[in-house]
Amino acid sequence: MDEIKIECILYAFDGLEHLPEDIKNLMHQAIEARKKAYAPYSNFQVGAALLLDNGKVITGSNQENASYPSGLCAERTAVYYAGSKYSDTKILKMAITAASKKGNTTEPTPPCGACRQAIVEYEVKQNQPIEIYFMGESGKVIKSNSLENLLPMVFNKSLL
Ligand code: THU
C-alpha cells in the first residue's frame, strides 16, 4: 500500500488592510453584497464578489428559502450569474465574506463543498485558476491560488 500525501498551500493576511489594493476593493464589494443576503433562517450572511477578465465585478449573496434546500449560497449565486451573463469571460478572482447575527465572525469562512464543486467547474471550463480570498466579518483573510487547491481529488469532466 502506498501513502498518498496531498498538500494544500494557503496564505494568511492579518486583516483586510493588508490585502493588495485590488483585492481590498473586491472584498469591500463582497461586504456590500453580504449586507443584501436574504438569510432569515440561518442569520448567517455571506457575500461573494468575482472579478472577471473584462474588468466587471459580479456579486452575490446567499438566498434562503422556507424550503431550506431550495436556497442558494452566495458563491454559487455569483458564479452562475457570471456564467450565464458573461459566458465567454474568465473569472479571475473571488472574494468571500461571512457574518453571523450571533456575533462577530472572525474565523475565515471558506466556500462549502457544493460551492467548491460548482466553482471548480469554471476553472476547468476556462482552463485558468481562480484566486480565492475568504474571511469572516473581520480578522484574517485566507488566500488560495486556485479552487482546485481547496478540493483535492476533484471530480471533473476528465473522469466522465
Ligand atoms: N452559505 C453560503 O452562502 N456559502 C457557503 O459557502 C456556506 C454557506 C450560506 C448558506 C446558508 O444560507 C447559510 O450560509 C448557512 O449555511
Side-chain angles (χ1 to χ4, degrees):
M1 184 181 72
D2 295 324
E3 183 179 282
I4 301 171
K5 191 172 171 195
I6 298 175
E7 208 172 50
C8 164
I9 297 176
L10 300 168
Y11 303 90
F13 296 82
D14 271 341
L16 195 50
E17 65 279 11
H18 296 277
L19 292 170
E21 217 43 49
D22 61 329
I23 306 302
K24 203 190 291 179
N25 181 40
L26 195 63
M27 190 58 89
H28 276 295
Q29 297 193 63
I31 291 168
E32 287 312 305
R34 193 188 74 209
K35 294 175 186 164
K36 295 185 185 133
Y38 175 60
Y41 304 105
S42 70
N43 286 316
F44 191 76
Q45 299 179 298
V46 186
L50 313 177
L51 176 67
L52 306 186
D53 77 351
N54 62 7
K56 291 197 184 302
V57 172
I58 301 299
T59 61
S61 57
N62 51 330
Q63 300 295 313
E64 297 187 348
N65 193 282
S67 171
Y68 292 3
S70 300
L72 197 63
C73 291
E75 297 90 325
R76 275 177 286 165
T77 303
V79 155
Y80 289 150
Y81 183 82
S84 51
K85 183 143 171 94
Y86 300 103
S87 53
D88 295 327
T89 309
K90 291 179 180 177
I91 302 168
L92 303 181
K93 297 172 194 213
M94 183 167 196
I96 304 164
T97 170
S100 171
K101 291 243 164 87
K102 281 192 217 147
N104 188 14
T105 312
T106 54
E107 191 68 35
T109 307
C112 75
C115 285
R116 292 182 206 199
Q117 184 67 36
I119 300 163
V120 85
E121 183 70 26
Y122 292 88
E123 277 192 348
V124 173
K125 179 188 171 203
Q126 68 188 33
N127 195 26
Q128 189 174 308
I130 300 171
E131 263 179 36
I132 317 268
Y133 297 79
F134 53 91
M135 66 181 295
E137 186 175 0
S138 62
K140 282 196 193 309
V141 183
I142 303 292
K143 173 189 178 190
S144 174
N145 282 338
S146 70
L147 191 287
E148 195 173 348
N149 181 49
L150 294 175
L151 191 60
M153 291 238 147
V154 64
F155 180 84
N156 63 30
K157 68 177 183 185
S158 70
L159 298 164
L160 296 175

